[in-house]
């Protein structure tokens, strides 16, 4: 006699499913979440397959089916695909899609309302009379809302509850998202925007009422900064809502989400469900349940939203698709933009990749016809792009310890005199990137990483931006003991803000950086202040470089524009161009024209020259040609093996042992091992091997074969695999 056997995948770093017998009477289907015994404890997993097995085996039994929505076939296929592509254990890929409630997770606070009981109070006062008059209509109100409406304090309401005049009533949990209205009144699109929106709507695979479905696939929505790309894809989201399918809008950073939610609410009359690491507890569970049931039509989130259990996913939008924040470098190394394309294909959904500065990979895919391309070449409303000029720092007379050139300082003064705002951009957090002793030359370095500690003067601390180590800035040198002889070398945004305050003491200055205290709420409030014109000068990192609309901002000053150009990263030129193009594009988005000044020591560099000339097409053509000659992505393939260990010798020895058995086939080259540029991170020494292959090579199969032949990692040695690496540190 045969029995039903469930092969259950467990969300741990395991690559195989475990077999369990299905008890009689337990009805299971593939994708169901089940409770199972694993060693001495109980855990959960997902039924990956069901089959018939011989009776009499000693298989352990499935304990129970967990009362949770199972994983639909497209999401299970995505897990399989990611595991194959990234060479991550299949259980690790599953862990990203199976987010069960954690023990000790704090539930949402119950909402309590009050209503009149009809009983008379034991005593009457004017304040009590006001409350009773308001509550007489029988409506359930929150205690605070009732007090405000009656114009009395909360204690009056509490007294009436104690007196039996009012009774407490449990309110239904607040909805995680109100249904968006696709026909909510909004500003009309321009002609070019309408054409772009129609072209994108034509790709929706869900059929329109009484109509036919589109062709699906991937479309690049490319437009200059300020062209109104967001409003264009909002129209596609609106059409998806009308057709009854769900939409996912991916954002590269949480910092962009708050302002985006306001824009969404202005267009649709309600906010969408937001999904990111700041959403916790019971609210995450309710969002997952609403998405799985198809009750939440639109989700806006960070890359982890890609693994939500959508029931009817019809549209995926990847905003700022070029952003490096879409790449996850820890655990399962994947690129959310690329995985979004895969998931949409598995769900038969349309994809929109939106950017003013698309990645070269996306541009090449569009040029080769793999992706469609919709272009918005002009700013909305006929506004002009900012005029960009270089400030050659080799010719500027710079006072010692100053970082704002006389040319830029004069431009700020003129801008503020007209009642307009200026933005100073420097992609360095903190006060100074290096602190050293003038007496002995000692440099303060992280004890866990091979990086200098960054001084954060507002926090009075020296901080490592890689492992989070922090220590108080000392009064005396740790090496020689000399007092008050530490020097801050180089500028960060805090130092620039200090210089701005000294140069323009009567101006209102806001500093925007992701590591300032106050979190997302403070950041949202300050971004709102900037948008409303509540400051004169903004000093910020790359946080302000994208996605924001500041209508009063007419001048952008870029400090140290050469950061990153000297890097050995093959994407350094592309990233620098994208960042500078985005940040200069913040200027002149309102009614007044804008301009940008770029402080540089290399005005002749191709990236700076392309930025100043406004000839983005020339830059893309030259950079693409250089990639093709070098056989770099997207014309070739890369994969990195990062060997790390608690001891440097162990990491190096394992890296060399791997290299000896690499045996690359034709079309594959193995480089290294070499000590990583960041040789020590979080107390672990790191060596890298780089695999460079021709485009047609199945690099995953080669890596699996190589690792199977290679030595096994022992002791503290770990080998990480990063297919399509974005970082070379």
């Amino acid at each position: 006699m045969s029995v039903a056997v469930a092969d259950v995948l467990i969300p741990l770093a395991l690559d195989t499913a475990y077999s369990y017998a299905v008890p009689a009477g337990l009805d299971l289907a593939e994708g169901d979440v089940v409770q199972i015994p694993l060693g001495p404890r109980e855990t959960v997993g997902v039924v990956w397959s069901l089959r018939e097995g011989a009776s009499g085996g000693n298989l352990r039994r499935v304990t129970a089916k967990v009362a949770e929505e199972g994983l639909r076939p497209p999401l299970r296929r995505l897990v399989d695909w990611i595991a194959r592509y990234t060479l991550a254990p299949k259980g690790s890929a599953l862990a990203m899609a199976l987010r069960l409630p954690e023990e000790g997770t704090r539930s949402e606070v119950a909402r309590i309302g009050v209503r009149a009981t009809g009983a008379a109070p034991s005593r009457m006062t004017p304040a009590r009379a006001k409350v009773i008059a308001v509550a007489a209509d029988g409506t359930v109100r929150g205690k605070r809302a009732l007090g405000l409406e009656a114009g009395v304090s909360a204690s009056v309401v509490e007294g009436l509850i104690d007196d039996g005049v009012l009774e407490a009533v449990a309110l239904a949990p607040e909805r995680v998202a109100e249904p968006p209205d696709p026909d909510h009144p909004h500003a009309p699109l321009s002609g070019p925007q309408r054409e772009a929106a129609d072209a994108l709507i034509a790709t929706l695979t869900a059929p329109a009422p009484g109509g036919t479905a589109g062709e699906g696939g991937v479309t690049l929505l490319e437009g200059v900064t300020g062209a109104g790309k967001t409003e264009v894809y909002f129209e596609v989201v609106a059409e998806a809502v009308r057709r009854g399918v769900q939409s996912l809008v991916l954002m590269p950073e949480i910092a962009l989400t708050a302002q985006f939610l306001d824009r969404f609410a202005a267009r649709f009359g309600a906010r969408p469900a937001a999904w990111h690491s700041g959403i916790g507890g019971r609210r995450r569970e309710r969002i997952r349940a609403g998405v799985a049931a198809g009750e939440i039509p639109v989700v806006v989130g960070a890359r982890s939203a890609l693994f939500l259990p959508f029931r009817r996913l019809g549209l995926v939008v990847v905003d700022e698709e070029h952003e490096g924040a879409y790449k996850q470098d820890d655990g399962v190394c994947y690129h959310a933009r690329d995985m979004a394309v895969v998931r949409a294909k598995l769900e038969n959904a349309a994809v929109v990749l939106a950017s003013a500065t698309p990645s070269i990979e996306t541009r090449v895919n569009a040029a080769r016809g793999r992706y469609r391309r919709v272009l918005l070449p002009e700013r909305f409303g006929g506004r002009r792009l900012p005029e960009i000029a270089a400030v050659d720092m080799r010719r500027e007379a710079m006072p010692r310890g100053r970082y704002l050139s006389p040319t830029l300082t004069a431009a700020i003064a003129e801008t503020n005199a007209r009642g307009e705002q200026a933005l100073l951009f420097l992609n360095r957090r903190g006060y100074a990137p290096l602190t050293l002793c003038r007496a002995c030359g000692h440099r303060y370095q992280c004890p866990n990483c091979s990086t200098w500690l960054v001084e954060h003067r507002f926090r009075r601390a020296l901080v490592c931006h890689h492992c989070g180590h922090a220590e108080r800035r000392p009064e005396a040198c740790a090496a020689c003991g000399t007092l008050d002889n530490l020097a801050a070398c180089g500028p960060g945004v805090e130092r620039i803000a200090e210089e701005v305050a000294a140069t323009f003491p009567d101006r209102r200055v806001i500093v925007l950086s992701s590591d300032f205290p106050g979190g997302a709420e403070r950041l949202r409030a300050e971004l709102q202040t900037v948008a409303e014109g509540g400051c004169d000068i903004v000093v910020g990192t790359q946080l302000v470089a994208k996605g924001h609309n500041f209508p009063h901002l007419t001048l952008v000053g870029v400090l140290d524009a050469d950061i990153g150009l000297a890097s050995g990263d093959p994407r350094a030129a592309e990233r620098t161009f994208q960042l500078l193009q985005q940040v200069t594009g913040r200027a002149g988005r309102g009614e007044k024209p804008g301009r940008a000044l770029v402080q540089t020591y290399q005005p002749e560099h191709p990236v700076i020259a392309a930025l100043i000339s406004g000839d983005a097409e020339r830059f893309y053509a030259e950079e693409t040609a250089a990639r093709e000659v070098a056989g770099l992505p997207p014309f070739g393939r890369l994969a990195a093996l990062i060997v790390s260990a608690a001891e440097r010798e162990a990491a190096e020895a394992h890296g060399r042992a791997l290299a000896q058995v690499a045996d690359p086939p034709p079309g594959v080259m193995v480089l290294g091992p070499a000590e990583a540029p960041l040789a020590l991170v979080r107390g672990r020494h790191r060596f890298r091997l780089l695999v460079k292959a021709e485009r047609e090579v199945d690099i995953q199969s080669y890596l699996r074969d190589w690792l199977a032949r290679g030595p096994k990692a022992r002791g503290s040695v770990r080998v990480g695999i990063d297919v399509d690496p974005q970082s070379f540190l």
Side-chain angles (χ1 to χ4, degrees):
M1 180 180 176
S2 63
V3 296
V5 175
D7 294 321
V8 179
L9 188 62
I10 301 169
L12 299 173
L14 303 169
D15 205 33
T16 57
Y18 285 13
S19 298
Y20 291 86
V22 180
L26 182 61
D27 185 21
L28 289 182
E30 292 181 353
D32 282 346
V33 182
V34 293
Q35 184 176 344
I36 50 172
L38 183 67
R41 62 189 178 91
E42 292 279 321
T43 188
V44 295
V46 176
V47 178
W48 223 244
S49 63
L50 286 169
R51 56 188 171 86
E52 292 294 319
S55 62
N58 58 354
L59 293 179
R60 303 180 77 177
R61 293 176 175 270
V62 174
T63 305
K65 178 178 176 180
V66 176
E68 162 146 341
E69 184 78 21
L71 269 63
R72 296 177 55 250
L75 188 51
R76 300 202 305 276
R77 289 197 292 269
L78 178 69
V79 169
D80 286 335
W81 198 97
I82 289 178
R84 284 197 304 270
Y85 191 86
T86 66
L87 275 74
K90 193 179 295 187
S92 297
L94 173 63
M96 298 189 297
L98 187 65
R99 301 283 186 177
L100 295 176
E102 300 177 4
E103 291 185 13
T105 298
R106 204 171 72 183
S107 301
E108 289 180 303
V109 177
R111 300 172 65 227
I112 302 296
V114 293
R115 66 184 174 194
T117 63
S122 59
R123 62 184 180 86
M124 182 66 77
T125 65
R128 285 188 161 196
K130 291 179 181 178
V131 175
I132 293 170
V134 171
D137 60 5
T139 302
V140 178
R141 296 174 174 84
K143 289 189 289 186
R144 183 171 179 273
L146 178 57
L148 288 174
E149 192 172 345
V152 302
S153 66
S155 61
V156 177
V157 177
E158 293 286 355
L160 288 171
I161 294 174
D162 294 339
D163 208 11
V165 179
L166 300 175
E167 64 176 348
V169 180
L171 298 177
E174 185 179 3
R175 298 181 67 165
V176 292
E178 295 295 326
D181 178 7
D183 301 312
H184 185 75
H186 60 281
L189 300 183
S190 67
Q193 285 180 317
R194 185 72 262 169
E195 292 179 9
D198 290 342
L200 294 173
I201 288 171
T203 68
L204 287 175
T205 54
T212 58
E215 300 177 5
V218 184
T219 306
L220 167 62
L221 175 59
E222 181 179 356
V224 297
T225 55
K229 295 180 291 297
T230 303
E231 286 70 22
V232 168
Y233 70 67
F234 273 172
E235 292 306 302
V236 192
V237 172
E239 183 61 26
V241 173
R242 294 187 189 101
R243 299 189 187 189
V245 293
Q246 295 168 296
S247 299
L248 168 62
V249 181
L250 290 179
M251 309 290 290
E253 296 179 15
I254 297 174
L256 297 177
T257 307
Q259 190 182 51
F260 181 88
L261 295 179
D262 292 338
R263 295 178 69 180
F264 189 97
R267 167 60 183 85
F268 292 96
R271 291 187 162 215
W275 182 271
H276 50 72
S277 59
I279 305 295
R282 174 66 180 156
R283 188 175 184 85
R284 290 178 74 87
E285 298 172 38
R286 291 174 56 211
I287 292 174
R288 283 184 61 86
V291 168
E295 297 168 355
I296 295 179
V298 184
V299 176
V300 175
R303 58 181 182 238
S304 60
L306 185 63
F307 300 96
L308 285 171
F310 290 94
R311 178 172 290 276
R312 297 188 302 272
L313 185 61
L315 173 66
V316 180
V317 178
V318 184
D319 200 15
E320 307 290 356
E321 66 85 26
H322 65 279
E323 272 295 319
Y326 282 123
K327 181 63 189 282
Q328 176 165 297
D329 292 317
D330 295 327
V332 181
C333 297
Y334 71 94
H335 200 298
R337 176 199 62 212
D338 301 338
M339 296 307 107
V341 172
V342 174
R343 173 143 200 203
K345 183 176 181 179
L346 295 173
E347 300 270 7
N348 192 31
V351 181
V352 176
L353 306 179
S355 177
T357 54
S359 64
I360 288 179
E361 286 86 346
T362 297
R363 293 264 304 206
V364 169
N365 278 329
R368 291 181 168 180
R370 296 181 64 187
Y371 296 170
R372 301 179 186 86
R373 185 185 184 212
V374 173
L375 186 62
L376 291 171
E378 297 180 355
R379 280 189 161 180
F380 178 77
R383 298 184 179 95
R384 292 181 301 175
L385 289 167
E387 296 179 359
I388 306 176
V391 177
D392 191 342
M393 298 300 287
R394 298 170 299 188
R395 300 180 181 177
E396 292 281 320
M398 294 291 295
R400 182 168 182 166
R402 296 282 180 160
Y403 301 95
L404 302 182
S405 65
T407 301
L408 180 55
T409 301
I412 295 170
E414 294 170 6
T415 300
N416 286 166
R418 295 193 299 268
E420 300 163 10
Q421 292 173 320
L423 165 65
L424 300 178
F425 169 76
L426 177 65
N427 201 22
R428 281 202 195 105
R429 293 179 285 165
Y431 185 84
L434 171 66
T435 299
L436 59 78
C437 175
R438 295 189 186 94
C440 69
H442 173 70
R443 302 182 178 195
Y444 282 82
Q445 183 173 342
C446 176
N448 308 314
C449 308
S450 53
T451 55
W452 308 122
L453 292 177
V454 177
E455 180 179 353
H456 286 251
R457 191 153 292 187
F458 292 170
R459 296 163 55 184
R460 299 180 182 178
L462 302 177
V463 180
C464 175
H465 288 164
H466 295 279
C467 71
H469 169 82
E471 58 188 61
R472 190 169 183 83
R473 187 182 188 275
E475 299 295 331
C477 174
C480 68
T482 305
L483 284 169
D484 297 326
N485 216 11
L486 298 183
C489 301
V493 287
E494 293 178 17
R495 192 168 196 166
I496 298 303
E498 184 179 86
E499 183 176 342
V500 168
T503 308
F504 304 101
D506 58 336
R507 306 292 160 79
R508 299 167 297 174
V509 182
I510 283 183
V511 183
L512 295 176
S513 180
S514 59
D515 51 13
F516 271 40
E521 285 304 315
R522 179 202 64 85
L523 184 60
R524 179 180 181 182
E526 293 192 340
L527 288 170
Q528 186 67 25
T529 299
V530 176
E532 293 173 353
C535 71
D536 303 305
I537 302 172
V538 183
V539 181
T541 62
Q542 66 175 348
L543 189 71
V544 300
K546 61 254 181 180
H548 303 298
N549 186 36
F550 303 135
H552 306 285
L553 183 68
T554 60
L555 173 67
V556 170
V558 178
L559 312 181
D560 211 348
D562 309 318
I563 293 178
L565 290 177
S567 166
D569 188 332
R571 292 186 175 87
E574 176 190 7
R575 286 176 175 156
T576 302
F577 177 78
Q578 289 167 338
L579 184 59
L580 297 184
Q581 185 90 322
Q582 290 278 349
V583 73
T584 55
R586 299 309 104 194
R589 296 168 72 96
E591 298 299 326
K592 298 179 180 178
R595 62 170 174 154
L597 296 176
V598 181
Q599 292 188 173
T600 174
Y601 289 92
Q602 307 177 68
E604 69 284 346
H605 192 284
V607 170
I608 305 298
L611 182 72
I612 302 303
S613 68
D615 193 354
E617 290 300 323
R618 179 179 176 182
F619 168 77
Y620 274 113
E622 292 178 353
E623 187 68 13
T624 301
R627 293 263 192 100
E628 187 168 16
V629 169
L632 292 172
F635 304 100
R637 305 199 61 192
L638 294 176
L641 270 65
I642 302 95
V643 182
S644 66
E647 302 81 24
R648 183 184 186 280
E649 295 76 13
E652 183 176 15
H654 193 82
R656 292 190 181 281
L658 279 174
Q660 288 176 356
V661 297
D663 192 21
V668 177
M669 180 187 302
V670 176
L671 306 172
E675 197 168 40
L678 283 177
L680 181 68
V681 175
R682 298 182 181 91
R684 296 184 65 81
H685 297 268
R686 305 165 72 241
F687 280 77
R688 290 174 58 94
L689 296 104
L690 187 67
V691 180
K692 184 172 179 287
E694 295 176 359
R695 183 70 191 173
E696 296 75 20
V697 170
D698 183 353
I699 198 169
Q700 283 86 359
S701 293
Y702 167 67
L703 289 171
R704 287 190 190 91
D705 176 67
W706 178 17
L707 292 172
R709 291 184 286 104
K712 304 304 177 187
R714 302 186 184 280
S716 67
V717 174
R718 300 288 182 271
V719 179
I721 304 169
D722 187 359
V723 179
D724 301 333
Q726 299 289 310
S727 171
F728 290 82
L729 295 178

